[in-house]
Amino acid sequence: MRRIVGIALVASVASLVLAGTAAAAVPPGPRLTFLAAEYLIREGKPPAVKPKFRVSARLVSTDAGGGDPRPLLRGSGVQSLGPVASWSADGSEFAFCGKVGASASAEQRIYIATADGAGARAIPGTTGASDPVLSPDGSLLAYSVTHEHQPKLNLKKLRKLKNPKAFLKHLKSILRALEHGYISTTTWIVSTAGGKPRRLTEWDNRLYSVPSSISPDDSSLAVTVQRTGATPKVVAIDPVTGKARLLEANSAEAAYSPDGSRIAFATYRDHQSVDSFDAPVPVSELYVAAADGTGAVRITHTPHAQEDAPSWDPGGTTLAYSRSPGGGLGVLEQRIFESNADGTCPRPIAVPPLRHKGWEVLIGHPTWVPGEGRAAGSLSC
């Protein structure tokens, strides 16, 4: 699942130095939130071998065009570990993945903070969790948990082997050992007021289930499900009964519109790809369909780019989303675009000015800030 890889890379960059910084309340009007991570890579000088890697990252909100960037978190000792902020429908609070302190041993949890970044509180039972999705009324929190068990590999021995046959034999033994490793991601849900978390999807080796959106009436949770080597699909899960139904095949990252009548999602059904390191890599386009998955209409037409992570503006007329070259390390060139919900008038959103001259910037997935008076309105071409 490409987004899992992309988020993991963005989160690993962010977790190096991203901490809460002073921030005022989010200004009125249409606002977007996303991660902006500036980084600099320099080659190590002898006798050093490893390159020097410096990062300065922050969760920010901007106006609809990318201007007026402001830090989203207030200094509270909570460090954000992911690029995604999930908001309540009234825009009064948001959920994010984080930890307290800079220690590598600090436990990762899901936190909820008020709109100005203050009062961050950890949600019990979310230790080790990722991918927070807050219900519109703020009463439910969906998230993912990953369990991984990999065999110990003797890579030092592999590097020391000079005989080609011995090298190949040991390499094959390592590959066989990897086949016995275990990794799985499941989707959970819990009340934000407290209570015991419930697992909604099954554990199974190389099966990944990641939540992306909850319908406005809290009756349906959109979850992307993918098994290694297979195409992803979006299922709709009843948070109460756990009953699931197929929403969109060969698709991912569905987002319910503010009124619950439609979904936007990424899909690979057009069989597009870009060249990568050793083989073509599929890239997705965005579609919009009715909330039950019917009547899907393609809204982006960029066969040589990857588009994903759609987010509806509070008025339901505009979509913000990520676009990158796709393949390999394309996520490093990821940028935010917006268009009308029918795909017309697509345009890039300006990247906030760099705070460090000569550095590069990595932009995370966008999320519109909900709430009264925050509708972006239709775009004019």
Side-chain angles (χ1 to χ4, degrees):
M1 188 184 305
R2 180 188 179 276
R3 191 187 179 202
I4 290 177
V5 175
I7 287 181
L9 179 57
V10 175
S12 65
V13 171
S15 65
L16 292 177
V17 297
L18 180 57
T21 53
V26 179
R31 301 289 294 186
L32 279 164
T33 59
F34 52 88
L35 176 84
E38 297 179 39
Y39 64 93
L40 179 67
I41 303 176
R42 288 179 175 173
E43 295 183 1
K45 297 180 180 180
V49 178
K50 295 182 179 180
K52 294 181 178 180
F53 190 48
R54 299 181 63 189
V55 181
S56 175
R58 55 180 178 164
L59 283 170
V60 300
S61 79
T62 70
D63 62 27
D68 187 29
R70 304 194 184 194
L72 190 61
L73 289 174
R74 174 178 292 174
S76 60
V78 181
Q79 188 177 25
S80 176
L81 297 177
V84 179
S86 180
W87 291 81
S88 61
D90 62 3
S92 64
E93 58 185 7
F94 65 96
F96 65 99
C97 181
K99 69 176 183 178
V100 174
S103 171
S105 61
E107 293 183 314
Q108 175 177 310
R109 293 184 174 88
I110 304 299
Y111 290 80
I112 293 180
T114 57
D116 63 357
R121 58 186 177 92
I123 302 301
T126 61
T127 300
S130 302
D131 306 299
V133 177
L134 191 61
S135 67
D137 65 1
S139 66
L140 296 174
L141 176 72
Y143 56 92
S144 69
V145 175
T146 297
H147 284 172
E148 182 174 8
H149 306 286
Q150 298 294 348
K152 293 183 179 180
L153 306 175
N154 191 347
L155 298 179
K156 290 183 178 180
K157 179 179 177 180
L158 185 67
R159 289 193 292 266
K160 292 179 180 179
L161 292 173
K162 304 300 181 182
N163 183 287
K165 289 185 177 180
F167 180 91
L168 183 59
K169 182 179 179 179
H170 189 62
L171 179 60
K172 288 182 177 179
S173 70
I174 289 177
L175 295 177
R176 285 194 296 269
L178 288 173
E179 293 177 356
H180 298 287
Y182 177 92
I183 182 171
S184 182
T185 300
T186 52
T187 292
W188 296 66
I189 198 161
V190 69
S191 168
T192 56
K196 185 178 180 179
R198 291 184 294 114
R199 179 169 55 84
L200 297 178
T201 61
E202 64 178 327
W203 292 111
D204 198 5
N205 194 20
R206 291 172 173 77
L207 180 66
Y208 310 92
S209 304
V210 178
S212 59
S213 180
I214 298 179
S215 62
D217 61 1
D218 293 346
S219 67
S220 182
L221 170 65
V223 177
T224 301
V225 179
Q226 184 176 21
R227 188 175 295 277
T228 299
T231 56
K233 62 183 178 181
V234 175
V235 299
I237 300 178
D238 185 319
V240 176
T241 66
K243 185 177 180 180
R245 61 181 175 84
L246 179 65
L247 196 56
E248 290 288 347
N250 198 5
S251 301
E253 305 172 60
Y256 286 100
S257 63
D259 65 0
S261 66
R262 294 169 291 170
I263 55 170
F265 59 94
T267 178
Y268 301 86
R269 65 187 59 178
D270 299 297
H271 305 292
Q272 299 171 167
S273 62
V274 296
D275 291 334
S276 189
F277 297 122
D278 54 2
V281 174
V283 292
S284 62
E285 297 279 357
L286 297 185
Y287 277 63
V288 169
D292 62 1
T294 61
V297 176
R298 182 175 174 176
I299 66 165
T300 59
H301 301 269
T302 54
H304 301 296
Q306 168 83 18
E307 282 152 334
D308 52 16
S311 175
W312 294 87
D313 88 290
T317 61
T318 304
L319 285 168
Y321 52 90
S322 295
R323 177 183 290 179
S324 74
L329 297 177
V331 67
L332 293 175
E333 299 179 49
Q334 186 167 273
R335 293 294 182 266
I336 297 174
F337 276 69
E338 63 179 343
S339 73
N340 290 317
D342 61 2
T344 57
C345 307
R347 67 187 187 192
I349 292 174
V351 176
L354 292 175
R355 295 179 296 167
H356 300 84
K357 186 177 180 180
W359 289 34
E360 302 292 334
V361 65
L362 175 65
I363 300 296
H365 301 305
T367 305
W368 285 102
V369 178
E372 186 177 353
R374 294 195 180 278
S378 299
L379 300 175
S380 299
C381 299

